[in-house]
């Protein structure tokens, strides 16, 4: 079914490699290379009616031409054209070769962007077509505009898609016929043809609608399925226990700080879920530093005091150890000693730990996500909590559901998500948002700077290091490469650690290092043995190094808002004033927004407006298929309709068995329907 692109005429290894960069290896994938936009060359204007800035077609007779040299490589051909009523100028730049040969008196069509000023109308480098007793009808059509990669031009791609449509036309349907009819959607073959080469603007829109619908329909099907699993779980545990609650109240009163209003509210929500017999499935979204860990501890205590085991998982060993240290301290007065289970245990230690988990000697277990594995058998697990992971994997949840009683699940994330979207994306979860930061926390001061300030910042770093403080320096790439002028962490580390920072202990951290190397660098930084950490974005979310007071991000223009905010969240975790410095050749919009906005939720709303939700969410993390054409933010109406269609399918499963099988095969790694 999946024909490789090399099947097409003229597509050999070079073209195939270029296409692969766009994620296109098969003809089906070529079909799903959705145009970014269209060139509508069917709109033809008289010269006298041209408006400044519009992109249209004009037709005219060539009056005169002349060539001017711009420099050694470049010349410009200026052409005066007229259409009975008015004149305009067309400029075509060309290199050593390739001068366009116009015939004086010949009739031509030009498609391009119009400039109009006191000297009249003009167009630069338009698409050109000559009249030979008849027009090339193709010229006056709507042409697709594709995302490109180096070496591939629009024309090459257009030819390839046209060729594919001719020699391997789309042959199968991916949506149930009944749904197509009910919602007036185009058939897949018609929609694909019109998506790439639309008959008219209306057909282009209808085609886009069909594919948006399909994506959102798939999303809704999977979400409904997840939700379905959720409501079926009734063999949960009620942790309601007056004795436990009074101990928890005592614990809260013994904390060195008062819970924020936000923490109190969210704890109320968690606690109420835990009292119910239905298994809890709750997501806590709280900005960096909002104090999620203590909520996890409260939930663990509630389970443990009621006689169950609690497990608290982090994505890395360093984070797990960090939680272990802070939780151990908090639980000491209650005589509860947590167990730490990580990959660095010896075989013997691991055996003992697994034994303790099985026979319930271990009540409170902290470790990496490896704690939800088939080889870890719990005696009596009551709650599983995971930190800094958007979504507790569907598989892991299924694993938990196999227990006699389904444990509660609490997922915590520091990625702020606009609430409306969270409700859709996390339809299977209850969502709590933690919006307040603990009192007395000094807001991080952020500066978006150009490189002229670099030396001053370096001096400042030296001074901070002299005062015993620590600093992060973050870079977009690991190594230098010819294609981009970006600063690399390796080069900067080598240069600066031997140069201006020669007397300061520097460390290097990036994704190509082994995980044990990374862990050991992170540990040295935590222990203060490294003062300046040069890193890529691998520097972990959630790491708590209160002594780190400055985050420097170079080539900050390369990072998204969410990323900048997450990076900034690495500092400002103690009582000392912290700073974030964003460097770029030129300060960008995103950098300015980050400078002005401290609140993660507000930033996430702005990010949505700037970029659309696709990137922000990393939709893939949800176990759901990614979007190529739909936009959750803009296509909310389609989302609703697609939801109705999805519900209809799931309510009439027997009728749509074939379709559901097809979907499960199409998305083997995603939610199975
Ligand atoms: P995050 O939500 O980023 O995981 P943490 O739970 O690590 O945040 O909390 C960050 C810091 O704030 C910790 O040092 C924690 O002890 C402290 N903290 C948490 N809650 C409060 C509070 N209500 N008042 C003061 N400090 C708090
Ligand atoms: Mg945390």
């Amino acid at each position: 079914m999946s024909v490789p692109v090399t099947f097409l005429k003229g597509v050999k290894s070079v073209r195939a490699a270029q296409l692969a960069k766009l994620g296109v290896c098969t003809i089906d994938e070529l079909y799903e290379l959705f145009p970014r936009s269209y060139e509508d060359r069917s709109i033809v204007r008289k010269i006298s009616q041209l408006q400044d800035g519009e992109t249209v077609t004009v037709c005219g007779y060539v009056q005169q031409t002349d060539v001017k040299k711009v420099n050694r490589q470049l010349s410009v051909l200026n052409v005066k054209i007229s259409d009975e009523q008015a004149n305009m100028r067309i400029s075509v730049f060309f290199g050593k070769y390739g001068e366009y040969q116009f015939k004086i008196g010949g009739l031509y069509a030009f498609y391009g962007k119009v400039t109009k000023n006191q000297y009249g109308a003009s167009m630069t480098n338009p698409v050109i077509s000559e009249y030979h007793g008849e027009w090339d009808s193709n010229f006056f059509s709507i042409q697709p505009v594709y995302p490109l990669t180096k070496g591939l031009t629009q024309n090459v791609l257009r030819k390839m898609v046209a060729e594919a449509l001719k020699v391997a036309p789309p042959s199968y349907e991916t949506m149930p016929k009944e749904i197509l009819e009910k919602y007036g959607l185009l058939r897949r073959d018609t929609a694909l043809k019109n998506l790439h080469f639309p008959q008219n603007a209306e057909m282009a829109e209808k085609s886009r609608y069909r594919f948006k619908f399909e994506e959102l329909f798939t999303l809704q099907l999977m979400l409904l399925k997840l939700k379905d699993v959720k409501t079926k779980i009734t063999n949960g545990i009620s942790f309601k226990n007056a004795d436990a609650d009074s101990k928890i109240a005592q614990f809260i009163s013994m904390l060195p700080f008062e819970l924020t209003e936000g923490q109190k509210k969210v704890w109320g929500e968690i606690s109420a879920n835990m009292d119910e017999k239905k298994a809890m499935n709750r997501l806590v979204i709280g900005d960096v530093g909002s104090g999620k860990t203590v909520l996890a501890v409260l939930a663990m205590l509630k389970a443990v005091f009621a006689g169950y085991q609690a497990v608290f998982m982090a994505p890395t060993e360093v984070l797990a150890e960090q939680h272990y240290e802070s939780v151990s301290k908090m639980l000491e007065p209650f005589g509860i000693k947590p167990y730490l289970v990580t990959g660095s245990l010896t075989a013997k230690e691991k055996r003992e730990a697994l034994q303790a988990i099985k026979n319930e000697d271990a009540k409170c277990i902290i470790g990496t996500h490896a704690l939800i594995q088939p080889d870890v058998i719990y005696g009596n697990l009551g709650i599983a909590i995971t930190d800094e992971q958007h979504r507790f994997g569907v598989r892991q949840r299924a694993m938990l559901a196999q227990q006699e009683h389904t444990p509660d699940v609490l997922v915590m994330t520091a990625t702020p998500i606009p609430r409306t979207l969270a409700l859709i994306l996390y339809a299977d979860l209850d969502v709590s948002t933690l919006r307040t930061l603990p009192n007395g926390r000094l807001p991080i001061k952020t500066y978006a700077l150009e490189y002229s300030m670099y030396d001053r910042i370096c001096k400042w770093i030296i001074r901070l290091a002299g005062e015993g403080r620590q600093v992060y320096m973050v870079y977009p790439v690991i190594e230098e490469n010819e294609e981009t002028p970006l600063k690399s962490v390796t080069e900067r580390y080598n240069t600066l650690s031997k140069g201006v920072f020669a007397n300061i202990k520097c460390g290097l951290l990036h994704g190509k290092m082994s995980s044990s190397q990374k862990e050991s660098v992170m540990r040295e930084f935590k222990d203060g043995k490294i003062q300046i950490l040069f890193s890529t974005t691998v520097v972990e979310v959630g790491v708590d190094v209160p002594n780190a007071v400055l985050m420097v991000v170079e080539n900050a223009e390369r990072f998204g808002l969410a990323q900048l905010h997450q990076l900034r969240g690495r500092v400002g975790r103690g009582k000392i004033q912290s700073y974030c410095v964003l460097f770029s050749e030129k300060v960008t919009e995103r950098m300015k927004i980050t400078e002005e906005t401290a609140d993660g939720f507000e930033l996430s709303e702005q990010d949505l407006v700037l970029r659309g939700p696709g990137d922000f969410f990393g939709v893939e993390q949800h176990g759901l298929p990614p979007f190529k054409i739909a936009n959750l933010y803009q296509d909310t109406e389609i989302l609703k309709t697609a939801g109705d269609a999805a519900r209809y399918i799931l309510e009439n499963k027997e009728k749509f068995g074939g379709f559901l099988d097809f979907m499960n095969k199409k998305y083997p790694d995603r939610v199975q329907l």
Side-chain angles (χ1 to χ4, degrees):
M1 197 160 84
S2 59
V3 183
V5 279
T6 45
F7 176 79
L8 296 172
K9 216 164 52 194
V11 180
K12 305 248 162 52
S13 55
V14 175
R15 286 274 181 250
Q18 290 165 344
L19 286 170
K21 277 199 182 154
L22 295 173
V24 173
C25 298
T26 65
I27 291 192
D28 271 334
E29 285 162 349
L30 182 64
Y31 285 147
E32 301 212 344
L33 185 69
F34 295 123
R36 270 192 291 128
S37 58
Y38 298 93
E39 275 176 12
D40 188 351
R41 303 190 204 146
S42 66
I43 305 167
V44 182
R45 289 249 199 291
K46 289 277 175 217
I47 294 176
S48 59
Q49 292 167 345
L50 291 175
Q51 306 280 332
D52 185 46
E54 68 178 350
T55 304
V56 288
T57 302
V58 285
C59 300
Y61 295 93
V62 169
Q63 305 283 306
Q64 64 183 64
T65 64
D66 82 286
V67 173
K68 272 206 192 79
K69 247 187 154 21
V70 179
N71 58 36
R72 290 231 319 269
Q73 276 96 36
L74 197 66
S75 307
V76 61
L77 171 64
N78 286 311
V79 185
K80 191 171 139 198
I81 65 163
S82 91
D83 67 354
E84 282 108 42
Q85 294 153 348
N87 297 330
M88 73 179 288
R89 185 168 48 98
I90 305 287
S91 302
V92 185
F93 286 84
F94 61 98
K96 277 200 180 119
Y97 313 99
E99 177 179 346
Y100 197 96
Q101 301 294 329
F102 286 102
K103 294 191 194 96
I104 302 292
L107 177 59
Y108 295 84
F110 305 89
Y111 170 82
K113 189 169 172 190
V114 176
T115 306
K116 199 167 178 184
N117 51 30
Q118 73 263 40
Y119 307 111
S122 63
M123 241 184 219
T124 302
N125 291 335
V127 189
I128 306 166
S129 179
E130 187 183 351
Y131 179 78
H132 298 277
E134 62 179 333
W135 289 111
D136 169 8
S137 63
N138 238 344
F139 180 85
F140 295 93
S141 61
I142 302 177
Q143 294 285 319
V145 178
Y146 296 106
L148 295 178
T149 180
K150 209 172 166 187
L152 266 188
T153 63
Q154 291 296 349
N155 271 336
V156 170
L157 263 173
R158 286 172 188 162
K159 281 209 187 96
M160 270 192 239
V161 176
E163 164 86 0
L165 285 168
K166 209 161 67 198
V167 301
S171 55
Y172 60 93
E173 181 52 71
T174 47
M175 298 267 284
K177 196 154 166 267
E178 193 181 332
I179 296 294
L180 294 181
E181 282 165 9
K182 197 164 163 188
Y183 295 95
L185 303 171
L186 292 181
R187 278 170 36 168
R188 183 166 178 272
D189 52 356
T190 318
L192 277 177
K193 274 180 212 150
N194 279 283
L195 188 79
H196 292 285
F197 299 104
Q199 280 165 25
N200 51 45
E202 191 195 338
M203 284 302 276
E205 195 42 50
K206 276 186 125 170
S207 308
R208 294 180 69 78
Y209 186 89
R210 137 122 207 175
F211 289 108
K212 285 179 177 183
F213 192 101
E214 183 166 350
E215 284 184 352
L216 296 171
F217 170 69
T218 307
L219 173 80
Q220 292 279 28
L221 271 173
M222 293 186 182
L223 287 177
L224 284 170
K225 176 74 189 186
L226 286 175
K227 211 170 191 169
D228 194 35
V229 172
K230 167 189 162 185
T231 48
K232 284 218 178 89
I233 299 176
T234 50
N235 65 333
I237 305 159
S238 166
F239 297 95
K240 209 176 169 85
N241 181 313
D243 182 41
D245 284 348
S246 74
K247 279 190 190 150
I248 284 174
Q250 191 195 345
F251 173 82
I252 293 175
S253 70
M254 283 166 65
L255 284 171
F257 46 74
E258 177 158 7
L259 292 183
T260 63
E261 285 311 308
Q263 284 169 323
K264 284 183 198 161
K265 182 191 77 155
V266 176
W267 170 240
E269 290 164 353
I270 296 172
S271 179
N273 281 163
M274 291 183 74
D275 283 343
E276 288 168 24
K277 178 137 174 60
K278 207 176 87 183
M280 170 170 74
N281 226 338
R282 184 169 285 278
L283 170 73
V284 176
I285 309 176
D287 210 345
V288 275
S290 58
K292 295 183 292 296
T293 316
V294 68
L295 295 173
V297 175
L298 287 170
M300 280 198 284
L301 281 178
K302 190 167 165 97
V304 171
F305 288 149
Y308 291 87
Q309 289 171 296
V311 57
F312 184 17
M313 290 167 287
T316 68
E317 295 203 358
V318 171
L319 281 177
E321 280 174 23
Q322 179 178 300
H323 284 327
Y324 174 74
E325 280 162 27
S326 55
V327 175
S328 298
K329 243 183 268 159
M330 287 194 242
L331 297 189
E332 218 168 14
F334 292 89
I336 300 172
K337 178 109 188 69
Y339 271 65
L340 178 67
V341 183
T342 65
S344 20
L345 295 186
T346 63
K348 178 163 172 277
E349 285 167 335
K350 180 159 185 206
R351 222 171 27 246
E352 284 169 4
L354 290 183
Q355 186 58 36
I357 292 172
K358 195 170 172 187
N359 67 22
E360 294 176 53
D361 283 344
K363 286 286 180 202
C364 192
I365 305 136
I366 297 173
T368 54
H369 289 115
L371 278 169
I372 295 288
Q373 291 292 327
D375 66 332
V376 185
I377 296 158
Y378 292 86
N380 194 9
L381 183 62
I383 186 166
I385 305 169
T386 86
D387 191 19
E388 306 300 356
Q389 228 202 3
H390 286 227
R391 173 170 288 269
F392 197 52
V394 178
R395 274 192 212 97
Q396 281 117 318
R397 221 167 327 144
M399 202 115 71
L400 288 180
Q402 286 164 10
Q403 314 255 337
E404 189 190 336
H405 295 286
T406 303
D408 280 2
V409 171
L410 186 62
V411 183
M412 304 196 297
T413 176
T415 305
I417 296 166
R419 191 166 172 84
T420 43
L421 288 173
L423 289 178
I424 296 167
L425 273 181
Y426 300 116
D428 61 321
L429 300 179
D430 296 314
V431 179
S432 296
T433 43
L434 194 53
R435 290 200 69 141
T436 40
L437 288 185
N439 281 340
R441 183 78 53 79
L442 292 169
I444 301 162
K445 291 194 175 141
T446 304
Y447 303 101
L449 301 179
E450 291 179 356
Y451 273 102
S452 52
M453 296 291 284
Y454 201 70
D455 289 348
R456 279 181 65 181
I457 298 296
C458 285
K459 284 194 191 119
W460 184 33
I461 293 173
I462 295 168
R463 214 169 59 230
L464 284 173
E467 293 164 10
R469 299 294 170 210
Q470 288 166 284
V471 176
Y472 295 96
M473 310 237 353
V474 172
Y475 297 86
V477 291
I478 299 177
E479 276 151 5
E480 278 159 285
N481 91 49
E482 284 163 16
E483 281 181 25
T484 61
L486 297 178
K487 305 215 171 2
S488 81
V489 70
T490 318
E491 184 276 324
R492 289 278 85 193
Y493 168 74
N494 286 333
T495 308
L496 295 176
S497 68
K498 293 188 192 106
V500 281
F501 301 147
N503 295 322
I504 306 169
K505 182 85 174 69
C506 298
L508 175 66
L509 182 74
H510 59 69
K512 277 199 188 152
M513 294 163 51
S514 71
S515 41
S516 65
Q517 277 176 315
K518 278 188 283 191
E519 300 264 344
S520 91
V521 171
M522 257 338 282
R523 203 158 290 141
E524 282 182 60
F525 188 66
K526 265 196 82 118
D527 297 345
K529 289 177 191 146
I530 291 173
Q531 280 197 279
I532 307 178
L533 182 62
F534 289 78
S535 174
T536 52
T537 51
V538 295
V539 51
E540 293 146 11
V541 172
V543 162
D544 206 13
V545 184
N547 193 40
V549 296
L550 172 61
M551 162 65 63
V552 178
V553 182
E554 296 210 37
N555 285 123
E557 76 281 0
R558 300 295 298 208
F559 298 94
L561 276 183
Q563 239 174 344
L564 291 176
H565 181 65
Q566 291 289 352
L567 287 171
R568 171 167 61 185
R570 302 300 112 245
V571 298
R573 304 183 72 89
K575 291 188 185 62
I576 323 146
Q577 176 65 54
S578 291
Y579 304 88
C580 174
V581 173
L582 309 174
F583 272 118
S584 178
E585 294 299 336
K586 198 165 174 304
V587 171
T588 62
E589 175 79 12
R590 261 181 285 182
M591 290 166 64
K592 268 197 220 118
I593 295 175
T594 313
E595 186 181 57
E596 286 158 12
T597 317
D599 182 65
F601 284 90
E602 201 181 319
L603 272 178
S604 74
E605 307 275 354
Q606 304 222 29
D607 204 26
L608 260 182
V609 177
L610 277 186
R611 300 198 298 171
D615 297 346
F616 191 81
F617 290 115
V619 170
E620 298 241 18
Q621 287 187 31
H622 306 273
L624 302 167
F627 300 132
K628 289 182 175 166
I629 188 166
N631 180 325
L632 275 177
Y633 193 55
Q634 288 158 2
D635 300 325
T636 43
E637 276 308 307
I638 311 179
L639 185 72
K640 258 189 239 154
T641 320
D644 295 340
R647 250 182 302 280
Y648 178 73
I649 297 279
L650 292 180
E651 280 159 14
N652 296 280
K653 270 189 152 169
E654 55 314 324
K655 212 160 69 174
F656 296 105
F659 168 71
L660 294 170
D661 281 349
F662 165 81
M663 292 292 279
N664 288 338
K665 285 205 194 89
K666 184 169 174 192
Y667 298 108
D669 305 328
R670 314 265 178 213
V671 179
Q672 293 289 292
L673 298 168

